[in-house]
Amino acid sequence: MASAEIAELFRRVTLGLYVVGAADGERRDAFTAAWLTQVSFDPLLLALSVNPQNASHRLLHAGGGFTVSVLEETQQEVARHFGLSSGRDRDKLAGIAWRPGRRGAPVLRDALAWFECELAGAMPAGDHELVLGRVVDGGLLLPGARPLTYAATGDMDGSSALYPARLSA
Ligand SMILES: Cc1cc2nc3c(=O)[nH]c(=O)nc-3n(C[C@H](O)[C@H](O)[C@H](O)COP(=O)(O)O)c2cc1C
């Protein structure tokens, strides 16, 4: 199975599309994420897989929490925008309607819904880090809207070049 086929296979694992926000004091950032899921009812926990190379990764740990803005189906461009890396000269939040969450992390005002999480644990997960967030707040902003899915974003994240060349035992 070639890597493009493996990527196609993994698009059948149904995922949503989120903008994850983090802040450390006045420094804040947000990035597009698909690898997020609920993993516990009580306590309410979300698991998020973060690439440690993301600029937001350091902020997330320093700030002790993160926000999640759930994208709706027409927000492909928002997903693309926050999928870009925040460089020294690029503030991805400039020109975007957002508000600070409890710890200052950005919540998108145009999102379908949002969650606020406190960092509850982290462990290495291959080339990513699995972060647990205890949900301490949240809200539904667009009750009738449908969520954007990862499958609908095609190869926006360039993942077909990231999967291994073949599956091995
Ligand atoms: C559709 C899509 C899904 C993505 N999913 C994730 C993800 O689940 N976890 C992650 O760490 N990065 C994910 N990324 C990549 C980050 O959004 C990207 O590396 C971003 O530039 C990081 O921003 P930052 O450096 O400002 O933190 C995804 C990107 C796209 C476009």
Side-chain angles (χ1 to χ4, degrees), residues 29 31-35 49-51 54-56 83-86 92 157:
D29 194 7
F31 69 98
T32 300
W35 289 352
S49 189
V50 190
N51 188 333
N54 290 0
S56 310
L84 297 172
S85 180
S86 65
K92 284 191 275 184
D157 59 355

Side-chain angles (χ1 to χ4, degrees), residues 23-138:
D24 176 23
E26 287 305 301
R27 297 181 68 95
R28 49 179 70 88
D29 194 7
F31 69 98
T32 300
W35 289 352
L36 178 129
T37 189
Q38 181 180 352
V39 291
S40 165
F41 286 123
D42 189 12
L44 262 175
L45 295 175
L46 290 174
L48 165 71
S49 189
V50 190
N51 188 333
Q53 293 182 355
N54 290 0
S56 310
H57 177 258
R58 191 196 68 73
L59 297 179
L60 190 155
H61 278 278
F66 58 95
T67 55
V68 176
S69 296
V70 181
L71 298 184
E72 55 100 6
E73 65 181 349
T74 68
Q75 290 182 307
Q76 289 248 8
E77 281 315 306
V78 180
R80 193 183 306 280
H81 176 81
F82 284 99
L84 297 172
S85 180
S86 65
R88 203 172 288 231
D89 312 321
R90 184 192 289 133
D91 175 7
K92 284 191 275 184
L93 292 160
I96 301 280
W98 64 276
R99 67 166 178 84
R102 293 181 183 195
R103 294 170 181 265
V107 175
L108 303 191
R109 290 193 180 276
D110 297 336
L112 187 164
W114 58 276
F115 299 97
E116 176 111 29
C117 298
E118 286 182 357
L119 192 57
M123 63 172 284
D127 52 16
H128 278 54
E129 181 182 73
L130 194 57
V131 165
L132 282 183
R134 193 170 67 82
V135 180
V136 293
D137 205 355

